[in-house]
Amino acid sequence: MNITAAQTTITAITLEADDPAATTAFYAAAFGLGDRLRVRAAQAPSTGFRGFVLSLVVSQPSTVDSLMGTAVEAGATVVKPAKKSLWGYSGVLRSPDGVVWKIATSAKKDTGPFTREVDAFVLLLGVDDVKATKQFYVEHGLAVAKSFGSKYVEFEAPEAAPVKLALYTRKFAAKDAGVSAEGSGSHRVAIQTAAAPFTDLDGFDWERI
């Protein structure tokens, strides 16, 4: 399969929502991610956990607090309040359209001036079989950056890539986010790329821009 890494770079995430206008306004007010995050009308029903988490990785706790704050002001619900952990400082939100968001930093205290800059926008897929899905994506042109057996995989991406990709098991993705793993129906997310369109083993759609 002759697919280059450049082609499989994720250029944007498209979310499907019942009210696209309101959802677009929410995300502009909450995070300001620009063209990296798009919204369109939902085509199919969805209930419960949709099998993925969107993560914003930032440089320090004040940025986590700021993004959490504007999201809540815009209508998000706090799932896990921001707090320190072994790995840094993070919190989890559920947006009005039902998407789970994790805002995180590896730092436990501020080390520089305040900023709302997002260092990395990461799509965390909760999949049935991490090893099988990892192999599927390798065959579709992605290179593995980190892999912890059947628990977690992170794929390589250019430094300036708009969106990065990682895999958990569905159960662990939900547990880490603090939500129930139960859910059915559409994922209500599409992955935008320059590669030819395809659907992965768990039904996540990649669409050619």
Side-chain angles (χ1 to χ4, degrees):
M1 186 174 294
N2 187 21
I3 300 174
T4 69
Q7 286 178 304
T8 51
T9 297
I10 302 175
T11 56
I13 297 297
T14 296
L15 298 175
E16 296 186 347
D18 292 327
D19 189 335
T23 301
T24 299
F26 164 78
Y27 284 121
F31 305 134
L33 295 172
D35 290 341
R36 288 182 286 179
L37 185 68
R38 305 170 185 179
V39 180
R40 67 189 182 199
Q43 302 297 317
S46 180
T47 61
F49 183 50
R50 296 178 188 168
F52 70 94
V53 175
L54 292 175
S55 178
L56 302 181
V57 180
V58 301
S59 62
Q60 56 190 11
S62 62
T63 308
V64 174
D65 291 337
S66 179
L67 292 170
M68 292 275 291
T70 51
V72 170
E73 288 174 4
T77 301
V78 175
V79 177
K80 295 172 68 173
K83 65 178 183 179
K84 291 181 181 179
S85 70
L86 181 64
W87 309 109
Y89 185 83
S90 65
V92 178
L93 302 160
R94 192 188 298 274
S95 62
D97 58 309
V99 176
V100 178
W101 289 79
K102 182 175 183 178
I103 321 297
T105 177
S106 59
K108 295 184 180 181
K109 62 181 181 178
D110 288 354
T111 56
F114 171 74
T115 172
R116 281 176 56 85
E117 183 176 352
V118 173
D119 297 331
F121 180 20
V122 185
L123 171 61
L124 299 164
L125 299 183
V127 303
D128 288 337
D129 187 328
V130 170
K131 288 185 177 180
T133 302
K134 178 181 76 171
Q135 183 60 33
F136 175 89
Y137 277 116
V138 168
E139 292 172 357
H140 280 73
L142 281 80
V144 174
K146 297 179 183 178
S147 180
F148 299 94
S150 60
K151 295 183 178 180
Y152 177 78
V153 175
E154 183 178 307
F155 293 98
E156 291 183 359
E159 188 67 28
V163 186
K164 298 182 179 182
L165 180 68
L167 309 175
Y168 284 134
T169 63
R170 179 185 176 96
K171 183 178 180 180
F172 186 78
K175 181 179 180 181
D176 181 61
V179 299
S180 169
E182 297 300 318
S184 62
S186 172
H187 291 302
R188 288 194 174 185
V189 64
I191 303 164
Q192 307 296 331
T193 181
F198 63 87
T199 300
D200 77 3
L201 302 179
D202 294 87
F204 289 100
D205 294 325
W206 288 60
E207 298 179 348
R208 189 167 192 167
I209 54 174

